Amino acid sequence: MWLSVVGTAGLLLLSGCSDTLSLPDPTSLIQPPRLPADKEALRNTIDRQLPAGAVEVRAQNSSDTSAVRYEDLDGDGVNEAIVFYKPANSGENLHIMILQNQDGTWVKMLDIVGEGTTLDKLEFMDVSGDGHIDILAGFGVDGENPASAGSNVLMVYSYVRSDSQAVLETLGNKLAYSAFSLVDLNGDGRNELALINLKPNVGTDIKVYQYQDNNFQELSSLVLPNKTVTGYYNVTAGKISETQVGLVLDMIIGSGSYTQIVVMKNGILQSVLSEDSAFRDGWVKSEDVDGDGIIEIGLLNMPDGWSYFENKEDIPMLTLYSRWDGKKGLTPVREQYRDPNGRFVLQPFPESLLKNVTLNTVSIVDKYLQFVTIDTREWVEEVRFFTPAQWQNESEDKGWIKLYGTSSQVIAYRVNPDGELAADKAGVPST
């Protein structure tokens, strides 16, 4: 009897004749991941408050590109939620919406119109010096290139809340910029606002402001007179040596680039690098590559042993990162390989291998790269480009670590287990 029942049920399952016995559609079981309760409540509130057809926007040139930002704007110890959104009419300026959590319920406190149709950059910092976080919103206009002209507008807002109302007060005037940065250049313990503007056929105009007497007061200015600069692909600020803070500008010249460092000494801005000391045929972003808190400048170097190759485009270049030497030049600190197509970046080689790593000349771009020491020719690291079928056969138990993958290609690397990048070498990660 049991065999009969099981057999009948099996036939019904296979034939699909009974809804009560048919299996559910697997896609009906898939649920979107649930957010934490507070963020899910905020998400629901934002969705309700956004006008029909409006979409949230993210800052294009900020390190944090989250659509919703959390900051304690009024100093009460509780973060507000800040959202920028684009109305359904694409020609309208962006809006700024601020929400506050009141007894577990998110409430919209205000919604104001911004000064542009795109959000170039968004930063949060106390600029006024009153101890409260201010909003620095860099607005752009569709169709213009913010890197090559002062087409952006910087607005600085201070959030002020009473018992039941909130307003965004504008600090100072609108400020045109190509790039901006916040940094304490004069060492007074307050961050100054540095505005960088490209002046066609003139050069780069840099002005440093500090907010006082209800406006931005200019402290110092400088013009870098290079008429061939067409824009900036990276502007950062921070420590450029153990004791000096400065602005670091990565500037575009044709298909190449160069970097300039600007510091303030005795209240006066000045550049500290010669132009030819940081020029390269390509773009390399200045950054703290070795984790010491100091910004390094990257130069593209031809690997040792490759100078006789006729087709320079087929040469995989090494990036040599250097630190400002305190005068007009640079001191090398680390080397690294960065894929020219942006697919992967290898860990910087340890300091012990500085200027002692090259690529074996058997290496072929987009096929196989082997890094060896110059003095002993011992292999240090290798990168291989696999087909998916090759990856299935080669990846297991052979030390390969996946760097990048698509449906048609897998890029992986491995290190010499006895070399300078081995896991047992102090301070040098193997992955």
Side-chain angles (χ1 to χ4, degrees):
M1 181 178 67
W2 278 110
L3 288 174
S4 176
V5 171
V6 172
T8 303
L11 289 173
L12 288 171
L13 285 169
L14 291 173
S15 65
C17 294
S18 171
D19 288 338
T20 59
L21 292 175
S22 61
L23 294 173
D25 180 357
T27 59
S28 68
L29 301 176
I30 300 174
Q31 299 293 330
R34 291 185 62 85
L35 295 169
D38 184 55
K39 289 191 175 182
E40 185 171 9
L42 174 60
R43 179 75 270 159
N44 293 335
T45 302
I46 292 173
D47 290 342
R48 289 196 306 269
Q49 294 293 340
L50 285 176
V55 293
E56 297 166 34
V57 297
R58 304 168 187 265
Q60 299 171 355
N61 294 304
S62 296
S63 56
D64 188 339
T65 58
S66 304
V68 180
R69 300 288 294 272
Y70 300 90
E71 296 289 341
D72 181 9
L73 299 175
D74 54 9
D76 66 351
V78 179
N79 287 341
E80 280 72 39
I82 304 99
V83 179
F84 285 71
Y85 70 86
K86 191 179 204 49
N89 184 349
S90 60
E92 292 184 29
N93 284 351
L94 300 181
H95 281 233
I96 311 168
M97 180 167 59
I98 296 180
L99 303 99
Q100 183 185 57
N101 193 324
Q102 298 180 358
D103 298 324
T105 301
W106 284 96
V107 178
K108 183 176 76 170
M109 300 302 294
L110 59 82
D111 187 321
I112 70 167
V113 180
E115 294 293 332
T117 55
T118 62
L119 185 59
D120 170 63
K121 191 171 183 179
L122 181 62
E123 300 291 341
F124 296 89
M125 191 170 290
D126 179 13
V127 176
S128 62
D130 64 356
H132 292 175
I133 297 296
D134 301 310
I135 303 173
L136 292 91
F139 294 98
V141 179
D142 286 328
E144 297 189 23
N145 181 5
S148 61
S151 58
N152 293 330
V153 173
L154 175 62
M155 299 296 296
V156 183
Y157 300 106
S158 177
Y159 179 72
V160 180
R161 180 174 63 87
S162 62
D163 291 339
S164 59
Q165 292 184 333
V167 296
L168 272 185
E169 294 182 351
T170 301
L171 301 184
N173 301 319
K174 299 178 185 179
L175 298 169
Y177 75 94
S178 300
F180 75 86
S181 192
L182 292 159
V183 61
D184 181 12
L185 287 170
N186 60 9
D188 66 349
R190 286 183 58 187
N191 284 307
E192 287 78 49
L193 174 62
L195 294 184
I196 297 95
N197 275 295
L198 182 65
K199 301 293 185 182
N201 301 317
V202 176
T204 297
D205 180 45
I206 304 173
K207 293 186 186 314
V208 173
Y209 298 88
Q210 196 165 69
Y211 188 78
Q212 52 193 13
D213 299 329
N214 298 319
N215 209 340
F216 286 99
Q217 307 292 335
E218 184 180 316
L219 299 183
S220 183
S221 64
L222 174 69
V223 174
L224 302 176
N226 190 324
K227 300 180 181 180
T228 60
V229 172
T230 57
Y232 319 96
Y233 62 90
N234 178 53
V235 173
T236 188
K239 292 182 68 175
I240 55 171
S241 72
E242 293 289 349
T243 59
Q244 184 69 57
V245 172
L247 293 169
V248 182
L249 287 71
D250 294 328
M251 299 185 275
I252 306 167
I253 302 180
S255 60
S257 65
Y258 83 101
T259 297
Q260 185 54 267
I261 295 176
V262 175
V263 302
M264 182 178 281
K265 292 186 178 180
N266 300 319
I268 299 174
L269 289 176
Q270 55 185 276
S271 59
V272 297
L273 276 185
S274 60
E275 290 187 11
D276 58 352
S277 64
F279 179 83
R280 62 238 147 193
D281 292 322
W283 294 10
V284 180
K285 180 181 176 181
S286 297
E287 58 185 318
D288 176 16
V289 73
D290 57 0
D292 63 354
I294 298 173
I295 299 170
E296 284 87 31
I297 296 170
L299 302 176
L300 294 173
N301 276 6
M302 182 182 296
D304 184 76
W306 289 73
S307 58
Y308 61 87
F309 281 76
E310 293 184 2
N311 192 348
K312 304 302 181 184
E313 294 181 357
D314 290 338
I315 299 177
M317 304 292 282
L318 291 174
T319 302
L320 177 66
Y321 282 94
S322 301
R323 184 184 302 165
W324 178 52
D325 64 5
K327 299 177 182 178
K328 286 288 183 180
L330 298 168
T331 300
V333 293
R334 287 292 180 90
E335 281 182 291
Q336 184 181 43
Y337 182 78
R338 307 178 70 91
D339 177 53
N341 295 312
R343 294 167 294 186
F344 65 91
V345 177
L346 296 181
Q347 289 280 353
F349 297 112
E351 190 175 1
S352 59
L353 290 179
L354 182 61
K355 290 194 172 182
N356 191 30
V357 175
T358 188
L359 276 148
N360 192 329
T361 52
V362 301
S363 301
I364 302 174
V365 173
D366 286 344
K367 289 188 177 180
Y368 176 73
L369 304 172
Q370 187 186 60
F371 300 88
V372 299
T373 58
I374 295 174
D375 53 2
T376 65
R377 310 306 291 182
E378 178 186 30
W379 79 278
V380 176
E381 189 172 20
E382 59 184 346
V383 177
R384 185 173 168 187
F385 297 71
F386 295 89
T387 65
Q390 291 172 332
W391 176 244
Q392 291 296 323
N393 295 328
E394 293 287 339
S395 60
E396 293 184 3
D397 302 324
K398 294 187 179 179
W400 291 105
I401 300 170
K402 184 177 179 180
L403 289 167
Y404 174 87
T406 66
S407 60
S408 60
Q409 186 183 63
V410 174
I411 305 174
Y413 83 105
R414 65 181 175 185
V415 302
N416 184 343
D418 300 318
E420 290 294 320
L421 292 183
D424 60 350
K425 298 286 185 177
V428 180
S430 61
T431 62

